[in-house]
Every structure is written in C-alpha cells, then in structure tokens.
Amino acid sequence: MAVEYSYPLTQTVAVDEKVLFLNGNRACKKGFIIHNDSSGVFRVKGDPRSCKTIYKLHFNANIAISAGGTVEPISVALTQNGEVLRNAIATVTPTVAEAFFNVSITTFIEIPCGCCDTITVRNISETTDIDVINANIVIDRVA
C-alpha cells in the first residue's frame, strides 16, 4: 500500500517549521496514514497483527533560500516523532536567494505493533527561511 501527498505551489517554510501537503486522490483511505489537508503532520500506524510495520518514506521537492534570506546552506529533513532522522537529511548550498535545487530523501522506519508515530518534513536550516515548490511525499507500507 503506497500513498502520495503533494503541494505543487510555492510555500515559504520558516526555520524549524514543517512543509505542508495537500490530500490528493492517492491519500490513504484505510486508516493506516492519517493526514489533515494542508497540514505537515502525518500519523502513521503500526499493524496490530504484526510485531512491527515497516514503511518506506520518499520525499522530493525543489528548495531555495527565500527572497532576502541569508546565503548559507539550507536543509530539509524527515522527522519521526519530532526527532530528525539523521540518515534522512538533504542539504544544498545556493549562492543566491531564489535559486532552486532539487532534493530527494528516502528512508525506512519501523512502527511497533499497535503504535502510532508522527512523520514530518522540516526546514532544519540554521537561520534561513526556505521556499519549497512541488513538494511530494510517498509513504509505502512494505512489511
């Protein structure tokens, strides 16, 4: 079971804030992945019939320093329960504001039997707001 959420328009994401996603026609209808439209938080459930559930997360988008922002490396990361997944960080170093770079992150997470975890994509840049366009996340329950 794979689901997809996206946000095709440009959004400005402040430092430590979440990238937003819309519910599309490929949103979860079985209750394993809960998402409120225009939110940046996904609640991912473990299968109560199994000791753990494994999900594959894949995020991609175009990111840039917002107009007037400080030129510095900018980063986005997948988080689980508010904690940055250290193997799921994308960083680019633009030389000017509003120069978009494509980033892509893929990782696997485990959810214990009957538990729920929250998943987000967050701007973890040091001091700079970023613009994000064509944000897309695929959440695939693989085991």
Side-chain angles (χ1 to χ4, degrees):
M1 175 197 77
V3 297
E4 179 182 29
Y5 299 84
S6 61
Y7 198 101
L9 305 174
T10 302
Q11 58 183 294
T12 299
V13 182
V15 174
D16 284 331
E17 290 298 320
K18 296 172 273 310
V19 175
L20 305 179
F21 295 91
L22 301 172
N23 288 344
N25 60 355
R26 287 179 233 131
C28 181
K29 294 171 180 60
K30 294 185 177 186
F32 284 100
I33 299 157
I34 300 164
H35 176 259
N36 292 325
D37 199 30
S38 297
S39 167
V41 178
F42 297 89
R43 249 183 103 110
V44 182
K45 291 183 177 181
D47 189 335
R49 299 167 292 164
S50 154
C51 63
K52 65 181 173 184
T53 305
I54 299 172
Y55 286 92
K56 180 180 180 182
L57 308 175
H58 179 73
F59 167 76
N60 67 320
N62 297 310
I63 65 173
I65 297 169
S66 295
T70 304
V71 175
E72 67 178 7
I74 55 175
S75 301
V76 291
L78 289 167
T79 71
Q80 184 175 8
N81 295 329
E83 295 293 323
V84 171
L85 298 172
R86 293 288 163 201
N87 65 331
I89 298 172
T91 302
V92 295
T93 308
T95 57
V96 296
E98 300 178 303
F100 281 91
F101 287 78
N102 183 266
V103 294
S104 181
I105 305 168
T106 301
T107 195
F108 291 87
I109 60 168
E110 292 182 1
I111 311 292
C113 172
C115 287
C116 286
D117 284 2
T118 58
I119 305 299
T120 66
V121 179
R122 199 167 75 209
N123 174 8
I124 62 166
S125 305
E126 291 289 322
T127 61
T128 302
D129 295 349
I130 62 171
D131 288 339
V132 178
I133 190 168
N134 293 327
N136 187 312
I137 190 167
V138 174
I139 304 171
D140 188 9
R141 191 176 79 184
V142 295

